[in-house]
Amino acid sequence: MRWGRSWRSQAGGGGRPADEPPHAVVVKAGGAVRVSAVDEAARGLGIKVGMGLADARAMVPSLAVDEADEAADAGLLAAVADWADRYTPLVGLDPPDGLILDITGCAHLFGGEAALLADCLERLEGQGFAARGAVAGTVGAAWAAARFDRGGVVAEGLEAERLMPLPIAALRLSAETVAALARVGLKTVADVAGQPRAPLTARFGPDLVRRLDQALGRLGESITPRLPAPLAIAERRFAEPVSRLDDVEAAVVSLAASLAAGLDGRGEGARLLELSLFRADGHVTRVEVGTARPIRDPSSMVSLIGERLATRVGGGLDPGYGYDLVRLSVLLAARLDGAQMDLSGETDRTADVERLVDRLGARFGLAAVTRALPLDSHVPELTAALVPAAAAAEKALSWAAAPRPDFGEPPRFPARLLAEPEPVETVAGVPDGPPLRFRWRRVLYDVMRAEGPERIAPEWWKTGEPGFTRDYFRVEDAEGRRFWMFRDGLYGREVDQPRWYLHGLFA
């Protein structure tokens, strides 16, 4: 397994004015202010990382100092990690200034490990970064070669030869452990490698031996990718950057066909697609498209991505100097069996609804497209809940067969149910009877006809406050408007003075 590691020592752009003073970044650590980064001019004058600010100023009085912005540094490192995804989808963070890339099986796409490393460093330098990188058979060897040696490619099997002359800090040990080893005369990796392991572990802890074994390949070590590895990837690299949306869409058509072939062989369909657009200046744009059902038809993939891109054009999709890499990935997949036709030659009509959900979801986001999911409750406002349409299984959307009114009979339930029952002021002839008039939203209504009551008892078996018994009435005013109202609580048994609510409107 081959590993690559890119180390960013300092970010900066363009040339340096001749009269600009040497520069350093400082951070507060342990009650002291210490140097955490320096530019080339400061390094040339002897300023080193870890030096106290007072000592640095004594050496170079003209030293310009800025406080470290850890949040901005973390954001920049994440942005560079997004960019490094062009080489491999397995990119891990090594804060505060490093990346670890697993380039297993990827190097041949760039002409070999040395060519990949050279391309990576050249592109970073073009973006204004000072960087050093190394490729080795272990994470520890690549880390050490990049930070404490000249970098480059460590030939397979020669990790120990490159590591032995390096300082003991190259084993990724804590500063306390490095200092303790130095006090007993162990200053290089070779000094430690030749010592008995049991005394080392007893005196300095198990981390020392573990890091040594990892660097030499005796103990396995994996990286934690910053982003989940896609299930399938298809990508197109351009010799010259493209900036026209038509060129991007043409590349997506070809990539979708490649993904469809792979998904078909696995008997799966895509549920979540990601289009990654790598700009020549290092910026990466990612566009995700979810689906209500598994799909692998290339035209369906292209249509959904086109819908999504249409919402980004003019609203954040800036090609800049052009895209030199376009990648289409499957982040989530599910089993997809062949569609069964009926005797008329038509497939399941629910597919039309799912295609509509996919198109709307691509435009507005799948979370914004909802469907009513039936719930097991007889309380009107609890009989359904809005859920993302793509997440609701079709079999869960079947409503129980409710009795329908006979021809000519008024509907039992209103056409419009208010989101929450709204309180009304009422006047009733008797405490348990229907209202004679009521005031709702500052308007007074005279009741001409009333039907009811229809009693709904509280769900006492559920936890929490069960509420009161409701008596529902269908009432009609002098102008023919019909309302659905209920009295909350039984008079004299549950409450002394029941309250009235309006819950719905008939058409």
Side-chain angles (χ1 to χ4, degrees), residues 339-349:
Q340 178 66 45
M341 294 185 179
D342 58 20
L343 295 178
S344 65
E346 295 185 355
T347 57
D348 187 3
R349 295 182 181 273

Side-chain angles (χ1 to χ4, degrees), residues 251-265:
V252 172
V253 171
S254 174
L255 299 178
S258 299
L259 286 182
L263 291 171
D264 184 57

